Amino acid sequence: GIQYLLDFICANIEREKRILDYGCGIGSLGIRLAQAGYTDISYADVESLCTEFLKWRYGETAYSFFDLQESKPEPFDFVSCYNLLEHVHDPWKVFEHMEQWGTPVLWINTRFKKESEYQLHYNLDDFVERLEGERSIAKKQEGDGFKLFILSS
């Protein structure tokens, strides 16, 4: 999944744009974007063991991190989201918060067709339908088990 999103971003977003890896976890997408030549990448998530690992990965190298529970939105050209929305009970609320930071770039997992017993994954069909009905989509791509979107700014 992450390679599809990376390829999608590289094909549609200029390397000099300011990108926020929203819900970054251990920073896998942002690090791959940097390896692909993007130079202005920041990370945002709630403080957790995953973000501690991200900080360890960077060591003494300078990078920007925003704690989503404490930070006020700053303007970014694009806000990427990978492997996040299917894990939250109210993805629309998270999405609206993302929009406050910049133009969303979404990777949406469509493999989950029913709610899991432990609620680790949520079905996003209703979210996708609402997104396509209420927002202007600049680019869209579909694959086996996922949909990619860049919203219009």
Side-chain angles (χ1 to χ4, degrees):
I2 197 168
Q3 189 62 48
Y4 290 108
L5 179 55
L6 179 63
D7 293 345
F8 186 65
I9 290 172
C10 289
N12 293 291
I13 298 175
E14 299 86 7
R15 299 297 193 278
E16 67 276 357
K17 295 295 184 180
R18 190 168 187 231
I19 298 177
L20 178 67
D21 184 356
Y22 186 99
C24 65
I26 62 173
S28 296
L29 178 61
I31 289 169
R32 287 184 182 207
L33 287 169
Q35 291 169 341
Y38 288 87
T39 57
D40 194 350
I41 302 162
S42 296
Y43 300 86
D45 208 329
V46 295
E47 290 282 351
S48 68
L49 289 175
C50 290
T51 58
E52 289 301 315
F53 183 70
L54 167 68
K55 293 172 186 177
W56 175 83
R57 288 173 99 175
Y58 267 88
E60 299 299 317
T61 306
Y63 71 99
S64 296
F65 176 80
F66 299 91
D67 183 335
L68 290 174
Q69 292 179 322
E70 297 178 10
S71 300
K72 292 185 179 177
E74 290 193 12
F76 285 83
D77 296 310
F78 293 94
V79 181
S80 64
C81 173
Y82 172 73
N83 199 21
L84 171 67
L85 296 176
E86 69 270 20
H87 295 290
V88 296
H89 178 71
D90 188 351
W92 196 259
K93 182 177 179 181
V94 172
F95 168 72
E96 287 181 323
H97 188 257
M98 283 180 64
E99 287 184 305
Q100 294 175 31
W101 293 80
T103 301
V105 179
L106 306 173
W107 181 85
I108 297 180
N109 190 329
T110 59
R111 292 185 190 275
F112 304 105
K113 296 300 177 190
K114 62 180 184 169
E115 307 303 331
S116 69
E117 179 180 346
Y118 300 105
Q119 298 303 310
L120 297 176
H121 297 99
Y122 294 91
N123 178 299
L124 294 176
D125 291 345
D126 291 341
F127 174 83
V128 169
E129 183 178 327
R130 185 174 178 186
L131 180 71
E132 293 177 325
E134 295 185 18
R135 297 296 190 273
S136 177
I137 309 296
K139 297 274 184 181
K140 178 181 174 182
Q141 179 179 325
E142 295 187 40
D144 183 24
F146 68 89
K147 293 183 180 185
L148 298 167
F149 296 94
I150 298 176
L151 276 62
S152 299
S153 51

